[in-house]
Amino acid sequence: MSLLDYFRTSKTSSASLAKERLQILVAYERSSGNQPSYLPELQKELLAVIQRYVNVNKDAMTINLEQTDNRETLELNIVLPDAHRL
Amino acid sequence: MARIIVVTSGKGGVGKTTTSAAISMGLAKKGHKTVVIDFDVGLRNLDLIMGCERRVVYDIINVINGEAALNQALIRDKNCNLLSILPASQTRNKDALTQDGVEKILEELSKEFKYIVCDSPAGIETGAHLAMYFADDAFVVTNPEVSSVRDSDRMLGILASKSRRAERGEEPIKEYLLLSRYSPERVKSGEMLSLNDVQEILSLHLLGVIPESKSVLTSSNAGTPVILDEKSDAGQAYADIVARYLGENKPQRFIEDKTGFFRKLFGGR
C-alpha cells in the first residue's frame, strides 16, 4: 500500500467479503453434505402430489432433514396460497 | 510401524506436490527414513519437483501389477540417502490403482520406513481417495482464497467419513492446516483472507504458514525441494513445519507484514 493509496477512501475490503461468502457457503455445505441423495427427488415427487390438489409453486416448499444424536426429523414446510383451490 | 501422512487439498495448484517434496525431504534430513509416493496416476510430477525424472524406470502401477518389485521402483534421492521416491505411472488407465494394491505397498513400506508421505492428486477421484484412505495424519494445504478454502472444507468432510480409520471407528485422522502462498502485505491491505479468517472457517490445528515466495518456482526449475534453499522464506517455513510436526516448539513466522517503512511509503514491491 503506497502513500497515495492511504488517502484514497477505503471501500469494504474484499477479504471481508470473501470471508462472509465462505462462512455462509461452508455452513450450508456442511449441513447438506450429510443429507441422503434421495432428498431432492423426494421433494420433487411430494411437490407433484401436492400440486394435484393445491396450487402451490415450487418455491413454496422446503424440505429439511435434521439429525441429532438419537433422532432424525424430516421437516416439510409448505406455504399454501390463501384460497386458491383447483 | 510407519506413520502415513497424506498431503491433500481438494483444489489443484495450491502446492501439494511442493509441500510433499519439502516435508519428505525435511523429515529425511532430520534423520527419519522417509518415502514419498506420487498418487497422481496419469499426471505424475513429483519426480520433476524432486529432480529424479530421468531416473524413473518402474512406477507404482508396475509394482501393483507385479511387473516390478517394490525395491526396483523406489528411487533413492540424490541429496539425502534416507529419502526414497515412488513415482506414479503415466498410464491413462486410472483403474490400475487399486485399494488392495496400495494397501500391500504401504504394508511393505511400513516395515522399512518411519514416515510415508502420500502426495494426493487434486479432486476427489480414485487417486485422491486412495492417497488419504490409509492415512494417520493429513496435511491440508490451503491458499487464502475462496475456492481453496471451500475445497479444503469438503476434503475435511471426506477425511472424517471415508478413510479407513473412519470406517473402522478408530481414532480419526489428525488434520493439520498448512496455509500456503500467504502474503501478509495483502492481508494487511484487506485484499487477502487472513490466517485468522481461514482458521475461523476451517478450525484446524495450524502447522505453519508458507509465504508467497519466488524461491518455490526457482527450486522447481532446478528440481530441488524448496526446503533445501535454507536462505529462502518458503524453505525456512517448511523447515519450521517439519520441526513442529516432530514436536519441536517453533513460534509461527511469516504472518506479519515485514515491509519496511520506506518501501511502504513509496509502494515498492
Side-chain angles (χ1 to χ4, degrees), chain B residues 96-112:
Chain B
L97 202 62
T98 62
Q99 184 157 316
D100 288 347
V102 171
E103 184 170 18
K104 275 188 200 127
I105 287 176
L106 292 176
E107 259 172 32
E108 209 175 323
L109 291 172
S110 287
K111 292 174 200 156
E112 202 187 327

mmCIF file with all atom_site columns, all heavy atoms in Angstrom, chain B residues 96-112:
data_model
loop_
_atom_site.group_PDB
_atom_site.id
_atom_site.type_symbol
_atom_site.label_atom_id
_atom_site.label_alt_id
_atom_site.label_comp_id
_atom_site.label_asym_id
_atom_site.label_entity_id
_atom_site.label_seq_id
_atom_site.pdbx_PDB_ins_code
_atom_site.Cartn_x
_atom_site.Cartn_y
_atom_site.Cartn_z
_atom_site.occupancy
_atom_site.B_iso_or_equiv
_atom_site.pdbx_formal_charge
_atom_site.auth_seq_id
_atom_site.auth_comp_id
_atom_site.auth_asym_id
_atom_site.auth_atom_id
_atom_site.pdbx_PDB_model_num
ATOM 1   N N   . ALA B 1 96  ? -6.056  -48.749 -12.737 1.00 0.00 ? 96  ALA B N   1
ATOM 2   C CA  . ALA B 1 96  ? -4.896  -49.568 -12.407 1.00 0.00 ? 96  ALA B CA  1
ATOM 3   C C   . ALA B 1 96  ? -4.514  -49.427 -10.937 1.00 0.00 ? 96  ALA B C   1
ATOM 4   O O   . ALA B 1 96  ? -3.917  -50.324 -10.355 1.00 0.00 ? 96  ALA B O   1
ATOM 5   C CB  . ALA B 1 96  ? -3.729  -49.178 -13.305 1.00 0.00 ? 96  ALA B CB  1
ATOM 6   N N   . LEU B 1 97  ? -4.848  -48.292 -10.347 1.00 0.00 ? 97  LEU B N   1
ATOM 7   C CA  . LEU B 1 97  ? -4.561  -48.078 -8.926  1.00 0.00 ? 97  LEU B CA  1
ATOM 8   C C   . LEU B 1 97  ? -5.687  -48.701 -8.114  1.00 0.00 ? 97  LEU B C   1
ATOM 9   O O   . LEU B 1 97  ? -6.826  -48.265 -8.177  1.00 0.00 ? 97  LEU B O   1
ATOM 10  C CB  . LEU B 1 97  ? -4.488  -46.566 -8.657  1.00 0.00 ? 97  LEU B CB  1
ATOM 11  C CG  . LEU B 1 97  ? -3.726  -46.065 -7.440  1.00 0.00 ? 97  LEU B CG  1
ATOM 12  C CD1 . LEU B 1 97  ? -2.261  -46.430 -7.521  1.00 0.00 ? 97  LEU B CD1 1
ATOM 13  C CD2 . LEU B 1 97  ? -3.875  -44.561 -7.303  1.00 0.00 ? 97  LEU B CD2 1
ATOM 14  N N   . THR B 1 98  ? -5.366  -49.768 -7.366  1.00 0.00 ? 98  THR B N   1
ATOM 15  C CA  . THR B 1 98  ? -6.413  -50.456 -6.606  1.00 0.00 ? 98  THR B CA  1
ATOM 16  C C   . THR B 1 98  ? -6.159  -50.338 -5.111  1.00 0.00 ? 98  THR B C   1
ATOM 17  O O   . THR B 1 98  ? -5.021  -50.141 -4.681  1.00 0.00 ? 98  THR B O   1
ATOM 18  C CB  . THR B 1 98  ? -6.446  -51.963 -6.943  1.00 0.00 ? 98  THR B CB  1
ATOM 19  O OG1 . THR B 1 98  ? -5.180  -52.534 -6.569  1.00 0.00 ? 98  THR B OG1 1
ATOM 20  C CG2 . THR B 1 98  ? -6.687  -52.196 -8.425  1.00 0.00 ? 98  THR B CG2 1
ATOM 21  N N   . GLN B 1 99  ? -7.247  -50.462 -4.345  1.00 0.00 ? 99  GLN B N   1
ATOM 22  C CA  . GLN B 1 99  ? -7.117  -50.356 -2.884  1.00 0.00 ? 99  GLN B CA  1
ATOM 23  C C   . GLN B 1 99  ? -6.244  -51.471 -2.314  1.00 0.00 ? 99  GLN B C   1
ATOM 24  O O   . GLN B 1 99  ? -5.384  -51.212 -1.482  1.00 0.00 ? 99  GLN B O   1
ATOM 25  C CB  . GLN B 1 99  ? -8.509  -50.393 -2.250  1.00 0.00 ? 99  GLN B CB  1
ATOM 26  C CG  . GLN B 1 99  ? -8.475  -50.194 -0.758  1.00 0.00 ? 99  GLN B CG  1
ATOM 27  C CD  . GLN B 1 99  ? -9.800  -49.692 -0.221  1.00 0.00 ? 99  GLN B CD  1
ATOM 28  O OE1 . GLN B 1 99  ? -10.410 -48.801 -0.783  1.00 0.00 ? 99  GLN B OE1 1
ATOM 29  N NE2 . GLN B 1 99  ? -10.239 -50.287 0.869   1.00 0.00 ? 99  GLN B NE2 1
ATOM 30  N N   . ASP B 1 100 ? -6.458  -52.695 -2.798  1.00 0.00 ? 100 ASP B N   1
ATOM 31  C CA  . ASP B 1 100 ? -5.642  -53.823 -2.320  1.00 0.00 ? 100 ASP B CA  1
ATOM 32  C C   . ASP B 1 100 ? -4.174  -53.610 -2.654  1.00 0.00 ? 100 ASP B C   1
ATOM 33  O O   . ASP B 1 100 ? -3.296  -53.868 -1.827  1.00 0.00 ? 100 ASP B O   1
ATOM 34  C CB  . ASP B 1 100 ? -6.113  -55.140 -2.959  1.00 0.00 ? 100 ASP B CB  1
ATOM 35  C CG  . ASP B 1 100 ? -7.444  -55.589 -2.391  1.00 0.00 ? 100 ASP B CG  1
ATOM 36  O OD1 . ASP B 1 100 ? -7.851  -55.022 -1.355  1.00 0.00 ? 100 ASP B OD1 1
ATOM 37  O OD2 . ASP B 1 100 ? -8.070  -56.485 -2.983  1.00 0.00 ? 100 ASP B OD2 1
ATOM 38  N N   . GLY B 1 101 ? -3.939  -53.143 -3.890  1.00 0.00 ? 101 GLY B N   1
ATOM 39  C CA  . GLY B 1 101 ? -2.567  -52.904 -4.330  1.00 0.00 ? 101 GLY B CA  1
ATOM 40  C C   . GLY B 1 101 ? -1.872  -51.867 -3.463  1.00 0.00 ? 101 GLY B C   1
ATOM 41  O O   . GLY B 1 101 ? -0.733  -52.063 -3.035  1.00 0.00 ? 101 GLY B O   1
ATOM 42  N N   . VAL B 1 102 ? -2.563  -50.764 -3.200  1.00 0.00 ? 102 VAL B N   1
ATOM 43  C CA  . VAL B 1 102 ? -1.993  -49.694 -2.384  1.00 0.00 ? 102 VAL B CA  1
ATOM 44  C C   . VAL B 1 102 ? -1.750  -50.191 -0.952  1.00 0.00 ? 102 VAL B C   1
ATOM 45  O O   . VAL B 1 102 ? -0.707  -49.920 -0.359  1.00 0.00 ? 102 VAL B O   1
ATOM 46  C CB  . VAL B 1 102 ? -2.918  -48.444 -2.385  1.00 0.00 ? 102 VAL B CB  1
ATOM 47  C CG1 . VAL B 1 102 ? -2.450  -47.416 -1.372  1.00 0.00 ? 102 VAL B CG1 1
ATOM 48  C CG2 . VAL B 1 102 ? -2.983  -47.829 -3.782  1.00 0.00 ? 102 VAL B CG2 1
ATOM 49  N N   . GLU B 1 103 ? -2.697  -50.942 -0.424  1.00 0.00 ? 103 GLU B N   1
ATOM 50  C CA  . GLU B 1 103 ? -2.562  -51.455 0.939   1.00 0.00 ? 103 GLU B CA  1
ATOM 51  C C   . GLU B 1 103 ? -1.309  -52.326 1.076   1.00 0.00 ? 103 GLU B C   1
ATOM 52  O O   . GLU B 1 103 ? -0.550  -52.198 2.033   1.00 0.00 ? 103 GLU B O   1
ATOM 53  C CB  . GLU B 1 103 ? -3.815  -52.240 1.326   1.00 0.00 ? 103 GLU B CB  1
ATOM 54  C CG  . GLU B 1 103 ? -3.777  -52.720 2.779   1.00 0.00 ? 103 GLU B CG  1
ATOM 55  C CD  . GLU B 1 103 ? -5.107  -53.298 3.243   1.00 0.00 ? 103 GLU B CD  1
ATOM 56  O OE1 . GLU B 1 103 ? -5.944  -53.654 2.386   1.00 0.00 ? 103 GLU B OE1 1
ATOM 57  O OE2 . GLU B 1 103 ? -5.299  -53.387 4.465   1.00 0.00 ? 103 GLU B OE2 1
ATOM 58  N N   . LYS B 1 104 ? -1.109  -53.201 0.081   1.00 0.00 ? 104 LYS B N   1
ATOM 59  C CA  . LYS B 1 104 ? 0.066   -54.088 0.120   1.00 0.00 ? 104 LYS B CA  1
ATOM 60  C C   . LYS B 1 104 ? 1.364   -53.284 0.080   1.00 0.00 ? 104 LYS B C   1
ATOM 61  O O   . LYS B 1 104 ? 2.313   -53.571 0.824   1.00 0.00 ? 104 LYS B O   1
ATOM 62  C CB  . LYS B 1 104 ? 0.027   -55.070 -1.052  1.00 0.00 ? 104 LYS B CB  1
ATOM 63  C CG  . LYS B 1 104 ? -0.798  -56.301 -0.747  1.00 0.00 ? 104 LYS B CG  1
ATOM 64  C CD  . LYS B 1 104 ? -0.658  -57.360 -1.839  1.00 0.00 ? 104 LYS B CD  1
ATOM 65  C CE  . LYS B 1 104 ? -1.828  -58.327 -1.775  1.00 0.00 ? 104 LYS B CE  1
ATOM 66  N NZ  . LYS B 1 104 ? -2.525  -58.475 -3.063  1.00 0.00 ? 104 LYS B NZ  1
ATOM 67  N N   . ILE B 1 105 ? 1.404   -52.286 -0.789  1.00 0.00 ? 105 ILE B N   1
ATOM 68  C CA  . ILE B 1 105 ? 2.601   -51.448 -0.908  1.00 0.00 ? 105 ILE B CA  1
ATOM 69  C C   . ILE B 1 105 ? 2.866   -50.720 0.410   1.00 0.00 ? 105 ILE B C   1
ATOM 70  O O   . ILE B 1 105 ? 3.997   -50.698 0.908   1.00 0.00 ? 105 ILE B O   1
ATOM 71  C CB  . ILE B 1 105 ? 2.443   -50.443 -2.075  1.00 0.00 ? 105 ILE B CB  1
ATOM 72  C CG1 . ILE B 1 105 ? 2.558   -51.180 -3.406  1.00 0.00 ? 105 ILE B CG1 1
ATOM 73  C CG2 . ILE B 1 105 ? 3.480   -49.337 -1.988  1.00 0.00 ? 105 ILE B CG2 1
ATOM 74  C CD1 . ILE B 1 105 ? 2.332   -50.319 -4.622  1.00 0.00 ? 105 ILE B CD1 1
ATOM 75  N N   . LEU B 1 106 ? 1.829   -50.149 1.006   1.00 0.00 ? 106 LEU B N   1
ATOM 76  C CA  . LEU B 1 106 ? 2.005   -49.405 2.260   1.00 0.00 ? 106 LEU B CA  1
ATOM 77  C C   . LEU B 1 106 ? 2.468   -50.331 3.386   1.00 0.00 ? 106 LEU B C   1
ATOM 78  O O   . LEU B 1 106 ? 3.308   -49.962 4.201   1.00 0.00 ? 106 LEU B O   1
ATOM 79  C CB  . LEU B 1 106 ? 0.708   -48.688 2.649   1.00 0.00 ? 106 LEU B CB  1
ATOM 80  C CG  . LEU B 1 106 ? 0.289   -47.528 1.735   1.00 0.00 ? 106 LEU B CG  1
ATOM 81  C CD1 . LEU B 1 106 ? -1.063  -46.960 2.161   1.00 0.00 ? 106 LEU B CD1 1
ATOM 82  C CD2 . LEU B 1 106 ? 1.335   -46.425 1.719   1.00 0.00 ? 106 LEU B CD2 1
ATOM 83  N N   . GLU B 1 107 ? 1.915   -51.549 3.399   1.00 0.00 ? 107 GLU B N   1
ATOM 84  C CA  . GLU B 1 107 ? 2.325   -52.522 4.416   1.00 0.00 ? 107 GLU B CA  1
ATOM 85  C C   . GLU B 1 107 ? 3.809   -52.844 4.293   1.00 0.00 ? 107 GLU B C   1
ATOM 86  O O   . GLU B 1 107 ? 4.536   -52.881 5.288   1.00 0.00 ? 107 GLU B O   1
ATOM 87  C CB  . GLU B 1 107 ? 1.511   -53.808 4.262   1.00 0.00 ? 107 GLU B CB  1
ATOM 88  C CG  . GLU B 1 107 ? 0.376   -53.919 5.253   1.00 0.00 ? 107 GLU B CG  1
ATOM 89  C CD  . GLU B 1 107 ? -0.532  -55.097 4.950   1.00 0.00 ? 107 GLU B CD  1
ATOM 90  O OE1 . GLU B 1 107 ? -0.029  -56.125 4.431   1.00 0.00 ? 107 GLU B OE1 1
ATOM 91  O OE2 . GLU B 1 107 ? -1.737  -54.981 5.223   1.00 0.00 ? 107 GLU B OE2 1
ATOM 92  N N   . GLU B 1 108 ? 4.233   -53.055 3.052   1.00 0.00 ? 108 GLU B N   1
ATOM 93  C CA  . GLU B 1 108 ? 5.634   -53.398 2.825   1.00 0.00 ? 108 GLU B CA  1
ATOM 94  C C   . GLU B 1 108 ? 6.553   -52.219 3.183   1.00 0.00 ? 108 GLU B C   1
ATOM 95  O O   . GLU B 1 108 ? 7.598   -52.403 3.820   1.00 0.00 ? 108 GLU B O   1
ATOM 96  C CB  . GLU B 1 108 ? 5.825   -53.820 1.362   1.00 0.00 ? 108 GLU B CB  1
ATOM 97  C CG  . GLU B 1 108 ? 6.966   -54.813 1.176   1.00 0.00 ? 108 GLU B CG  1
ATOM 98  C CD  . GLU B 1 108 ? 7.064   -55.309 -0.272  1.00 0.00 ? 108 GLU B CD  1
ATOM 99  O OE1 . GLU B 1 108 ? 6.007   -55.490 -0.912  1.00 0.00 ? 108 GLU B OE1 1
ATOM 100 O OE2 . GLU B 1 108 ? 8.194   -55.494 -0.742  1.00 0.00 ? 108 GLU B OE2 1
ATOM 101 N N   . LEU B 1 109 ? 6.133   -51.013 2.771   1.00 0.00 ? 109 LEU B N   1
ATOM 102 C CA  . LEU B 1 109 ? 6.946   -49.827 3.065   1.00 0.00 ? 109 LEU B CA  1
ATOM 103 C C   . LEU B 1 109 ? 7.018   -49.554 4.570   1.00 0.00 ? 109 LEU B C   1
ATOM 104 O O   . LEU B 1 109 ? 8.028   -49.068 5.079   1.00 0.00 ? 109 LEU B O   1
ATOM 105 C CB  . LEU B 1 109 ? 6.383   -48.595 2.337   1.00 0.00 ? 109 LEU B CB  1
ATOM 106 C CG  . LEU B 1 109 ? 6.524   -48.575 0.810   1.00 0.00 ? 109 LEU B CG  1
ATOM 107 C CD1 . LEU B 1 109 ? 5.752   -47.396 0.227   1.00 0.00 ? 109 LEU B CD1 1
ATOM 108 C CD2 . LEU B 1 109 ? 7.993   -48.512 0.390   1.00 0.00 ? 109 LEU B CD2 1
ATOM 109 N N   . SER B 1 110 ? 5.932   -49.877 5.276   1.00 0.00 ? 110 SER B N   1
ATOM 110 C CA  . SER B 1 110 ? 5.870   -49.632 6.722   1.00 0.00 ? 110 SER B CA  1
ATOM 111 C C   . SER B 1 110 ? 6.966   -50.363 7.480   1.00 0.00 ? 110 SER B C   1
ATOM 112 O O   . SER B 1 110 ? 7.396   -49.924 8.542   1.00 0.00 ? 110 SER B O   1
ATOM 113 C CB  . SER B 1 110 ? 4.514   -50.080 7.276   1.00 0.00 ? 110 SER B CB  1
ATOM 114 O OG  . SER B 1 110 ? 3.524   -49.177 6.890   1.00 0.00 ? 110 SER B OG  1
ATOM 115 N N   . LYS B 1 111 ? 7.385   -51.495 6.929   1.00 0.00 ? 111 LYS B N   1
ATOM 116 C CA  . LYS B 1 111 ? 8.425   -52.288 7.604   1.00 0.00 ? 111 LYS B CA  1
ATOM 117 C C   . LYS B 1 111 ? 9.773   -51.580 7.553   1.00 0.00 ? 111 LYS B C   1
ATOM 118 O O   . LYS B 1 111 ? 10.615  -51.767 8.436   1.00 0.00 ? 111 LYS B O   1
ATOM 119 C CB  . LYS B 1 111 ? 8.556   -53.669 6.951   1.00 0.00 ? 111 LYS B CB  1
ATOM 120 C CG  . LYS B 1 111 ? 7.344   -54.552 7.175   1.00 0.00 ? 111 LYS B CG  1
ATOM 121 C CD  . LYS B 1 111 ? 7.489   -55.845 6.369   1.00 0.00 ? 111 LYS B CD  1
ATOM 122 C CE  . LYS B 1 111 ? 6.153   -56.525 6.170   1.00 0.00 ? 111 LYS B CE  1
ATOM 123 N NZ  . LYS B 1 111 ? 6.156   -57.398 4.993   1.00 0.00 ? 111 LYS B NZ  1
ATOM 124 N N   . GLU B 1 112 ? 9.989   -50.797 6.506   1.00 0.00 ? 112 GLU B N   1
ATOM 125 C CA  . GLU B 1 112 ? 11.309  -50.241 6.270   1.00 0.00 ? 112 GLU B CA  1
ATOM 126 C C   . GLU B 1 112 ? 11.410  -48.752 6.617   1.00 0.00 ? 112 GLU B C   1
ATOM 127 O O   . GLU B 1 112 ? 12.482  -48.263 6.970   1.00 0.00 ? 112 GLU B O   1
ATOM 128 C CB  . GLU B 1 112 ? 11.660  -50.442 4.787   1.00 0.00 ? 112 GLU B CB  1
ATOM 129 C CG  . GLU B 1 112 ? 13.141  -50.408 4.502   1.00 0.00 ? 112 GLU B CG  1
ATOM 130 C CD  . GLU B 1 112 ? 13.409  -50.440 2.998   1.00 0.00 ? 112 GLU B CD  1
ATOM 131 O OE1 . GLU B 1 112 ? 12.620  -51.076 2.264   1.00 0.00 ? 112 GLU B OE1 1
ATOM 132 O OE2 . GLU B 1 112 ? 14.380  -49.818 2.573   1.00 0.00 ? 112 GLU B OE2 1
#
